[in-house]
Amino acid sequence: MVADPALRDVYVPHAYPEQQADLGEITMNYAEAGEPDKPAVLLIPEQTGSWWGYEETMRLLAEDFHVYAVDLRGQGRSSWTPKRYSFDNFGNDLVRFIALVVKRPVVVAGNSSGGVLAAWLSAYSMPGQVRGALCEDARFFSSELVTTCGHSIRQAAGPLFELFRTYLGDQWNVGDWEGYCRAAAASSSQVARYFAEDEIPQHMQEYDPEWARVFWEGTVGMHLPHERMLSQVKTPILLTQHMRGIDPDTGNLIGALSDEQAARARQLMESAGVKVDYESAPDAVHIMHQFDPPRYVKIFTRWAATLAA
Amino acid sequence: MVADPALRDVYVPHAYPEQQADLGEITMNYAEAGEPDKPAVLLIPEQTGSWWGYEETMRLLAEDFHVYAVDLRGQGRSSWTPKRYSFDNFGNDLVRFIALVVKRPVVVAGNSSGGVLAAWLSAYSMPGQVRGALCEDARFFSSELVTTCGHSIRQAAGPLFELFRTYLGDQWNVGDWEGYCRAAAASSSQVARYFAEDEIPQHMQEYDPEWARVFWEGTVGMHLPHERMLSQVKTPILLTQHMRGIDPDTGNLIGALSDEQAARARQLMESAGVKVDYESAPDAVHIMHQFDPPRYVKIFTRWAATLAA
Amino acid sequence: MVADPALRDVYVPHAYPEQQADLGEITMNYAEAGEPDKPAVLLIPEQTGSWWGYEETMRLLAEDFHVYAVDLRGQGRSSWTPKRYSFDNFGNDLVRFIALVVKRPVVVAGNSSGGVLAAWLSAYSMPGQVRGALCEDARFFSSELVTTCGHSIRQAAGPLFELFRTYLGDQWNVGDWEGYCRAAAASSSQVARYFAEDEIPQHMQEYDPEWARVFWEGTVGMHLPHERMLSQVKTPILLTQHMRGIDPDTGNLIGALSDEQAARARQLMESAGVKVDYESAPDAVHIMHQFDPPRYVKIFTRWAATLAA
Amino acid sequence: MVADPALRDVYVPHAYPEQQADLGEITMNYAEAGEPDKPAVLLIPEQTGSWWGYEETMRLLAEDFHVYAVDLRGQGRSSWTPKRYSFDNFGNDLVRFIALVVKRPVVVAGNSSGGVLAAWLSAYSMPGQVRGALCEDARFFSSELVTTCGHSIRQAAGPLFELFRTYLGDQWNVGDWEGYCRAAAASSSQVARYFAEDEIPQHMQEYDPEWARVFWEGTVGMHLPHERMLSQVKTPILLTQHMRGIDPDTGNLIGALSDEQAARARQLMESAGVKVDYESAPDAVHIMHQFDPPRYVKIFTRWAATLAA
């Protein structure tokens, strides 16, 4: 694995052409589908994901929307920025992308940590940029190192990220995939055993493992207390909550957020005075948009129809 | 409030004479009761507590035991050590106290964070020093900033400690008791409203609020993962668990440890191969030894009788 | 001192009318001078400063420039954002201000930590926003908790900020100005003795002391290694370096950056391929723009004339 | 490289037989030389070192002293204690070793971080344990993450430790020696290029790289501000200072402590009221005791003769 992102030759072709936007600090890679006379939608992948996890979703949404799907810094083909990964920097990249590329109000939809960013945009983007935010199985509270509600990152996806940090290393400087697989197989944490395949999955090859480190160490959200952010959202929200449970061996959270965390998030967002919809989908996998696009699109479209223009 | 501990003139007389032991870094204040031909017992107060919270307990135990009750560094009349408060330093003070003063195997019993120290002594003291450890409503996991099980300090007693830190300050350098009371009364946390009296209680006057800061910031246990410590205990243990519940407004833990935390602690200690007794006392206050000495002494004595000489 | 910023009644009239821009998360307070047909200039105050520290400078610059002077979040009349103070958030506020208010390329000039932000804008703003950056006695390296070059914040202005944090508190929740003055007078650090007046100075009344805490704790720059930022500047730079020296009692840095730090900063910025000018003014006070506006304006104007349109 | 210390088979025979002392938490490995009727000496290795670095020194000292040389936890054949490496825990291990094995007042002598521990013992051991402390090229201040004087760990040996942390991993869980060597050769830091040999050196094989991590992250000294420790020493001290200089490429400290740091350390220790001797040896390598035993022994012996019995 070549560590230098400039020299990475790991990419594969996709159904939509890729474009790049210069945002100042980073170059953001993205793809688009649909026509400009349709309402604009911005799709934000989960940690380790690239825009093309939305490929089929884009095809389905393109009939009714002008869809943009992006790679966040440190993922896909976007720039890698060592030492500078944080929710606020991820979020402000998207603010700039909306200002420079989308150029009109947009419905944002993100998955997992991308769902946290959707809420971030609702709370903290520039006035008028965001019409509504779909938070798909968003990691509210559970991606905080020190959280005010329920399981912390160390009691949720953290053990997986710790393995990425240790065996892959910032910018793949360690790059020991085999060691990662061995450690994952031996882990007491069900989450950490998540995937351990012989081949490095395509999306992982495109991913800077420093993301994993900053989540494990908690610095990614150093300046983003979820409780505060959720109480400051300014647009309608749809929160979906997928498969969840408790690892009987460790007590850790399996899934993106617990029922307690979903309830608190809704309560805080409602206290902000916005319309908050909620859809429980305990039978759905975490990355519904990639593995069940029709269901995801149906949920998205029904909710988007309720948004003011 | 005079900040310099050497100049503090805050003490009051007690039923037992106070003595001082030079342990090297600190002078440890203590009292003793009972006769040297009886088994030795070492009593360890909770955070903000002084040895004399055990006064009545000492009287009751003195018939059957040679009892020592101590002030930890930063509490009571023992030395204040700015920047040097940690579980490992508290614990090693006790190791030295046993070596230099008690001078024989001892049964240790501590309350709250003192209960964590009782487990610490079971795991990490010098060979042969400890016969058994009573962990009275011990803050297992719930005094960790980043814990592996259940509520963290920020979801438990933390909000109270944050107020101490802010309004009292290290070594009382701020010393704004009135401001503390106002903030406590206004706090959304039930724990933080714990006490807010016009007069500074005697035990608080004897207490260095830097303790509160290191618990709030989590540095007190930087090198003491509870999961690891509990799996390394080496003596019989009695864990008592008192009143506990959930603050309906915040989801925070009320009480010292949740049922989930007590269960995990027992499981880990049992995995270490020692005998672990457990007594649930949901009707008892947190500091049973001070507010219901007869009940405490009965529990202690019954359990101590089961220990090997 | 009323803690709630919404209720603060601490403001005084100034020579220029104040305006407010809604940037999404915050409302930014600013003033402007000069005509829109002149080149745009953005002035960024130092920590504890408000826009009106530039009042006389604005008057002098208004002949040749269209000048904007702002209050950063947590200062002056701009919003206070507890838990969300960071260089990246300060910087992205300015990106938005340029996009929404200035609306054309601008010369930026900041003092002290504002000088760090000027470099931040050169490195990380949106393409085409910044024509050049004047870093007036900028705290390069010396405002980092863990720095790669020379004195850290703890060996520089940190001791002053520690006193603000302790005696004033986040959002003035402690608010003990008298206690601050006592502690400042007794401090072994020359920097901490900086000011201790009976009356709270006007600029301090407008300032959220949480700024001081995040600098003291180092979290303000958690995601902004100066070495990296300086090697990524994209526009011409002018660095001025004012009075500096070493506190003989502590070895601490007096002044904003040492000669070693200035030299390293220049070397890194030059390695980025931009034109770097440097002006040593060892006889000038730290906040030259406020206390010697003519000299400041002369330096600014001469350098600005060299910038491409 | 087998990760589990219990299964490590990396040891080689030495000139002195090895013994083990059960200290409670750890088993400490040590060797001794000389006769019990001679004054006792305790030798403490540097980071990555094992007792046998003192082998020749022991032979030379054995004529006049009863010499103990130990392995610290995480080094040599002593126990590995994941998550529990700190100066205070290292120091209290030695307190116990003196209490349980040496059993009389002892002259302590440590190198590098072992020199910090010699000062720690002077300040914080039990009364009467230590007669004097030789701090051989001790890393005062320069092993602190946030220091009050001069270069921090990040500006000194840190870059080397960062490579150990990344490529070797806690308990050698990564174990990529080849990757370490590649990164060391490419490092901009002269210190990080220190050694990069094809074979893993014997002393490194015996070393838990978590040591490197806790120094890099600064947690090893979380509760040990050097300024405070140095002002609390209680016995005569000899500080030696060896080869030192500044890396022209980075400004980083080469060597264990700068002249500024040595001067401050002496000043603080003198302020404690003890006799402080100092020997500058700019021509000596850092680990003099291993690479020039006669010179080390001469310095030791001459100084030890001045100590009260």
Side-chain angles (χ1 to χ4, degrees):
Chain A
M1 167 72 54
V2 173
D4 183 344
L7 304 176
R8 284 179 295 155
D9 179 19
V10 300
Y11 303 108
V12 295
H14 297 288
Y16 295 95
E18 295 177 272
Q19 305 175 65
Q20 284 78 38
D22 178 1
L23 303 182
E25 181 178 3
I26 71 156
T27 298
M28 181 169 269
N29 188 59
Y30 68 102
E32 63 186 301
E35 298 305 318
D37 59 341
K38 299 289 168 66
V41 169
L42 173 61
L43 302 173
I44 310 163
E46 72 286 358
Q47 183 168 174
T48 80
S50 301
W51 72 266
W52 47 260
Y54 283 104
E55 221 165 15
E56 176 63 9
T57 286
M58 291 169 75
R59 201 184 59 78
L60 297 172
L61 285 177
E63 204 162 320
D64 298 315
F65 299 95
H66 186 189
V67 185
Y68 299 84
V70 299
D71 289 335
L72 295 169
R73 59 168 76 192
Q75 306 204 138
R77 284 177 185 254
S78 289
S79 307
W80 288 9
T81 59
K83 316 288 186 202
R84 292 197 36 73
Y85 295 114
S86 72
F87 272 120
D88 288 323
N89 284 345
F90 299 150
N92 276 303
D93 287 341
L94 296 171
V95 164
R96 295 175 184 202
F97 183 82
I98 298 171
L100 297 178
V101 179
V102 181
K103 293 180 182 164
R104 57 180 174 136
V106 64
V107 178
V108 300
N111 178 224
S112 198
S113 50
V116 176
L117 285 171
W120 188 99
L121 285 166
S122 177
Y124 299 137
S125 58
M126 291 201 288
Q129 288 193 309
V130 174
R131 295 176 53 219
L134 192 168
C135 305
E136 180 195 4
D137 214 21
R139 293 195 185 275
F140 293 139
F141 304 112
S142 62
S143 55
E144 293 191 292
L145 179 69
V146 176
T147 188
T148 54
C149 178
H151 293 78
S152 76
I153 182 80
R154 296 289 173 96
Q155 299 169 336
L160 175 65
F161 296 149
E162 186 188 19
L163 296 186
F164 288 170
R165 179 202 64 160
T166 300
Y167 292 99
L168 309 184
D170 291 4
Q171 294 86 56
W172 287 85
N173 65 354
V174 176
D176 181 6
W177 183 258
E178 200 185 320
Y180 158 69
C181 293
R182 253 196 326 267
S187 173
S188 66
S189 159
Q190 187 171 319
V191 170
R193 295 192 295 271
Y194 183 55
F195 57 72
E197 315 171 17
D198 284 359
E199 295 293 303
I200 308 177
Q202 177 61 31
H203 64 108
M204 287 299 295
Q205 294 191 45
E206 302 182 4
Y207 161 80
D208 183 350
E210 189 175 324
W211 261 75
R213 182 171 64 76
V214 296
F215 274 78
W216 170 254
E217 296 181 353
T219 53
V220 72
M222 173 63 69
H223 301 288
L224 188 73
H226 286 199
E227 186 160 298
R228 185 171 178 83
M229 173 187 68
L230 292 165
S231 67
Q232 297 186 320
V233 291
K234 298 188 182 73
T235 70
I237 301 281
L238 169 58
L239 170 64
T240 72
Q241 187 190 8
H242 307 179
M243 190 188 58
R244 61 269 190 183
I246 298 297
D247 184 335
D249 294 336
T250 60
N252 283 357
L253 175 63
I254 296 173
L257 77 174
S258 67
D259 290 340
E260 177 192 7
Q261 291 173 324
R264 176 76 64 85
R266 293 167 64 191
Q267 176 193 13
L268 288 165
M269 294 190 289
E270 282 162 0
S271 77
V274 303
K275 178 163 162 288
V276 178
D277 288 300
Y278 167 73
E279 178 132 359
S280 179
D283 58 325
V285 296
H286 177 49
I287 312 180
M288 187 202 284
H289 72 261
Q290 182 167 12
F291 295 104
D292 192 351
R295 183 174 184 182
Y296 178 80
V297 167
K298 192 173 156 192
I299 292 172
F300 179 97
T301 306
R302 196 174 49 205
W303 167 74
T306 70
L307 298 176
Chain B
M1 166 74 54
V2 173
D4 182 344
L7 304 177
R8 284 179 295 156
D9 179 20
V10 299
Y11 303 107
V12 295
H14 297 287
Y16 295 95
E18 295 178 271
Q19 305 175 65
Q20 285 77 38
D22 178 0
L23 303 182
E25 182 179 2
I26 71 156
T27 297
M28 181 168 268
N29 187 59
Y30 68 101
E32 64 185 300
E35 298 304 318
D37 59 340
K38 299 288 166 66
V41 169
L42 173 62
L43 302 173
I44 310 164
E46 71 288 355
Q47 183 169 172
T48 78
S50 301
W51 73 265
W52 46 261
Y54 283 105
E55 220 165 16
E56 175 65 8
T57 287
M58 291 169 75
R59 201 185 57 80
L60 296 172
L61 284 176
E63 204 163 318
D64 299 314
F65 300 97
H66 186 188
V67 185
Y68 301 84
V70 299
D71 289 336
L72 295 170
R73 59 167 74 192
Q75 306 203 140
R77 286 179 185 251
S78 289
S79 308
W80 287 9
T81 60
K83 316 289 186 202
R84 292 197 36 75
Y85 296 113
S86 73
F87 272 121
D88 288 323
N89 284 347
F90 299 148
N92 276 302
D93 286 341
L94 296 171
V95 163
R96 296 175 185 201
F97 183 82
I98 299 171
L100 296 177
V101 178
V102 181
K103 292 181 182 164
R104 57 181 174 134
V106 64
V107 178
V108 299
N111 177 225
S112 198
S113 51
V116 176
L117 285 171
W120 188 100
L121 286 166
S122 177
Y124 299 137
S125 60
M126 292 203 286
Q129 287 192 309
V130 174
R131 294 176 54 218
L134 192 169
C135 305
E136 180 196 4
D137 214 21
R139 294 196 185 272
F140 293 139
F141 305 111
S142 62
S143 55
E144 293 190 292
L145 179 70
V146 177
T147 187
T148 55
C149 178
H151 293 77
S152 76
I153 182 81
R154 296 288 174 98
Q155 300 169 336
L160 176 64
F161 296 149
E162 187 188 19
L163 297 186
F164 288 169
R165 178 203 64 160
T166 299
Y167 293 97
L168 309 184
D170 292 3
Q171 293 87 55
W172 288 84
N173 64 354
V174 177
D176 181 8
W177 183 257
E178 200 186 319
Y180 158 72
C181 292
R182 254 196 326 268
S187 173
S188 66
S189 159
Q190 187 169 322
V191 170
R193 295 193 295 270
Y194 184 54
F195 56 72
E197 315 171 18
D198 283 358
E199 294 294 303
I200 307 178
Q202 177 62 29
H203 63 108
M204 286 299 294
Q205 296 191 44
E206 303 183 4
Y207 161 79
D208 183 349
E210 189 174 324
W211 261 76
R213 182 171 64 76
V214 296
F215 275 77
W216 170 255
E217 296 182 351
T219 53
V220 72
M222 174 62 69
H223 301 287
L224 188 73
H226 287 198
E227 186 160 298
R228 185 171 179 85
M229 173 187 69
L230 291 166
S231 66
Q232 296 186 322
V233 291
K234 298 189 181 74
T235 70
I237 301 281
L238 169 58
L239 171 63
T240 72
Q241 187 191 7
H242 307 179
M243 189 189 57
R244 62 269 189 183
I246 299 295
D247 184 334
D249 294 335
T250 61
N252 283 356
L253 175 65
I254 296 172
L257 78 173
S258 68
D259 290 340
E260 178 193 6
Q261 291 173 325
R264 178 77 64 85
R266 293 166 64 190
Q267 177 192 13
L268 287 165
M269 293 191 289
E270 282 162 1
S271 77
V274 303
K275 179 162 163 287
V276 179
D277 288 300
Y278 168 72
E279 179 131 359
S280 179
D283 58 324
V285 297
H286 178 50
I287 312 180
M288 186 201 285
H289 72 260
Q290 183 167 10
F291 295 103
D292 192 351
R295 184 174 182 182
Y296 177 81
V297 166
K298 192 173 156 192
I299 292 172
F300 179 96
T301 305
R302 194 175 51 206
W303 167 74
T306 71
L307 299 174
Chain C
M1 168 74 52
V2 173
D4 183 343
L7 303 176
R8 284 179 295 154
D9 179 18
V10 300
Y11 303 107
V12 295
H14 297 288
Y16 295 95
E18 295 179 271
Q19 305 176 66
Q20 284 78 37
D22 178 0
L23 304 182
E25 181 178 4
I26 71 156
T27 297
M28 182 169 270
N29 188 59
Y30 69 101
E32 63 187 300
E35 299 305 318
D37 59 341
K38 298 288 166 68
V41 169
L42 174 61
L43 302 174
I44 311 163
E46 72 287 358
Q47 183 168 173
T48 79
S50 301
W51 73 266
W52 47 261
Y54 283 104
E55 222 165 13
E56 174 64 9
T57 287
M58 291 170 74
R59 200 184 59 77
L60 296 173
L61 284 176
E63 203 163 318
D64 299 314
F65 300 96
H66 186 189
V67 185
Y68 300 84
V70 299
D71 288 337
L72 295 170
R73 59 168 75 192
Q75 306 204 139
R77 284 178 186 253
S78 289
S79 307
W80 289 9
T81 60
K83 315 287 186 203
R84 290 194 41 70
Y85 295 113
S86 71
F87 272 121
D88 288 323
N89 284 346
F90 300 149
N92 276 300
D93 287 342
L94 296 172
V95 164
R96 295 175 184 203
F97 183 82
I98 298 171
L100 297 176
V101 178
V102 181
K103 293 181 182 165
R104 55 177 174 139
V106 65
V107 178
V108 300
N111 177 224
S112 196
S113 50
V116 176
L117 285 170
W120 188 99
L121 286 166
S122 177
Y124 299 138
S125 59
M126 291 204 287
Q129 288 191 309
V130 175
R131 294 175 55 219
L134 193 168
C135 305
E136 181 196 2
D137 214 21
R139 294 196 185 273
F140 294 139
F141 305 112
S142 62
S143 56
E144 295 191 291
L145 179 68
V146 177
T147 188
T148 54
C149 178
H151 293 78
S152 77
I153 183 79
R154 297 289 173 95
Q155 299 169 336
L160 176 65
F161 297 150
E162 187 188 19
L163 297 186
F164 288 171
R165 180 201 65 160
T166 300
Y167 292 98
L168 309 185
D170 291 3
Q171 293 85 57
W172 287 84
N173 65 354
V174 177
D176 181 7
W177 182 257
E178 200 186 321
Y180 158 71
C181 292
R182 252 196 326 269
S187 173
S188 66
S189 159
Q190 187 170 321
V191 170
R193 295 193 297 271
Y194 183 56
F195 56 73
E197 316 170 18
D198 283 0
E199 294 294 302
I200 308 178
Q202 178 61 29
H203 64 108
M204 287 298 296
Q205 295 191 45
E206 303 184 4
Y207 161 80
D208 183 349
E210 189 175 325
W211 261 74
R213 182 172 64 76
V214 296
F215 274 77
W216 170 254
E217 295 181 353
T219 53
V220 72
M222 173 62 70
H223 301 289
L224 187 73
H226 287 199
E227 185 161 299
R228 185 171 179 84
M229 173 187 67
L230 292 167
S231 65
Q232 297 186 321
V233 291
K234 298 189 182 70
T235 70
I237 301 281
L238 169 59
L239 170 63
T240 71
Q241 187 191 7
H242 307 180
M243 189 187 58
R244 62 270 190 182
I246 299 297
D247 185 333
D249 293 335
T250 61
N252 283 358
L253 176 64
I254 297 172
L257 78 173
S258 66
D259 290 340
E260 177 192 7
Q261 291 173 324
R264 177 74 67 84
R266 293 166 65 190
Q267 175 193 15
L268 288 165
M269 295 191 288
E270 281 162 2
S271 76
V274 303
K275 178 161 162 290
V276 178
D277 288 300
Y278 167 72
E279 179 134 356
S280 180
D283 58 325
V285 297
H286 178 49
I287 312 180
M288 187 201 287
H289 72 261
Q290 183 166 10
F291 296 103
D292 192 352
R295 183 176 185 181
Y296 177 79
V297 167
K298 192 174 155 190
I299 292 172
F300 179 96
T301 306
R302 195 176 48 204
W303 167 73
T306 70
L307 299 175
Chain D
M1 166 75 54
V2 173
D4 183 344
L7 303 176
R8 285 179 295 157
D9 179 18
V10 299
Y11 302 107
V12 295
H14 296 288
Y16 295 95
E18 295 177 271
Q19 305 175 65
Q20 284 78 36
D22 178 1
L23 304 182
E25 180 178 5
I26 71 156
T27 298
M28 181 168 270
N29 188 60
Y30 68 102
E32 62 187 300
E35 298 306 318
D37 59 342
K38 299 288 165 68
V41 170
L42 173 62
L43 302 172
I44 310 164
E46 71 287 359
Q47 182 168 172
T48 80
S50 300
W51 72 266
W52 46 261
Y54 283 104
E55 221 166 14
E56 176 62 8
T57 287
M58 291 170 74
R59 199 184 60 79
L60 295 172
L61 285 176
E63 204 163 316
D64 298 314
F65 300 96
H66 186 189
V67 184
Y68 300 84
V70 299
D71 290 336
L72 295 169
R73 59 167 75 191
Q75 305 204 138
R77 284 178 186 253
S78 289
S79 307
W80 288 9
T81 59
K83 316 286 186 204
R84 290 195 38 71
Y85 295 113
S86 72
F87 272 119
D88 288 324
N89 284 346
F90 300 149
N92 276 301
D93 287 342
L94 296 171
V95 163
R96 296 175 184 200
F97 183 82
I98 298 170
L100 296 177
V101 179
V102 180
K103 293 180 183 165
R104 56 179 173 136
V106 64
V107 178
V108 300
N111 178 224
S112 196
S113 50
V116 176
L117 285 170
W120 187 100
L121 286 166
S122 176
Y124 299 137
S125 59
M126 291 201 288
Q129 287 193 308
V130 174
R131 295 177 52 221
L134 192 168
C135 304
E136 181 197 3
D137 214 22
R139 293 194 185 274
F140 293 139
F141 305 111
S142 62
S143 56
E144 293 191 291
L145 179 68
V146 177
T147 188
T148 54
C149 178
H151 293 78
S152 77
I153 182 81
R154 296 290 173 97
Q155 300 169 335
L160 175 66
F161 296 150
E162 186 189 20
L163 296 186
F164 288 169
R165 179 202 65 160
T166 300
Y167 292 98
L168 309 184
D170 291 4
Q171 294 84 57
W172 287 84
N173 65 354
V174 176
D176 181 7
W177 183 257
E178 200 186 321
Y180 159 70
C181 292
R182 251 196 326 269
S187 173
S188 66
S189 158
Q190 187 171 321
V191 170
R193 295 192 296 270
Y194 184 56
F195 56 74
E197 315 171 17
D198 284 359
E199 295 293 303
I200 307 178
Q202 177 61 30
H203 63 110
M204 287 298 296
Q205 295 191 45
E206 303 183 3
Y207 162 79
D208 183 349
E210 190 175 325
W211 261 74
R213 182 171 65 74
V214 296
F215 275 76
W216 171 253
E217 296 181 351
T219 53
V220 71
M222 174 62 71
H223 301 288
L224 188 72
H226 287 200
E227 186 161 298
R228 186 172 177 85
M229 172 186 70
L230 291 166
S231 66
Q232 296 185 321
V233 290
K234 298 189 182 72
T235 70
I237 301 281
L238 170 58
L239 170 63
T240 72
Q241 187 191 6
H242 306 180
M243 190 187 58
R244 64 268 190 182
I246 298 296
D247 184 333
D249 294 335
T250 60
N252 284 356
L253 176 64
I254 297 172
L257 77 173
S258 67
D259 290 340
E260 178 193 5
Q261 292 172 325
R264 177 77 64 86
R266 293 165 65 190
Q267 177 193 14
L268 288 165
M269 294 190 289
E270 281 163 1
S271 76
V274 303
K275 178 162 162 290
V276 178
D277 288 300
Y278 168 71
E279 178 133 358
S280 179
D283 59 324
V285 297
H286 178 49
I287 313 180
M288 187 202 285
H289 72 260
Q290 183 167 10
F291 296 105
D292 192 352
R295 183 173 183 183
Y296 177 81
V297 166
K298 193 173 155 192
I299 291 171
F300 179 96
T301 306
R302 196 175 48 205
W303 167 73
T306 70
L307 300 174

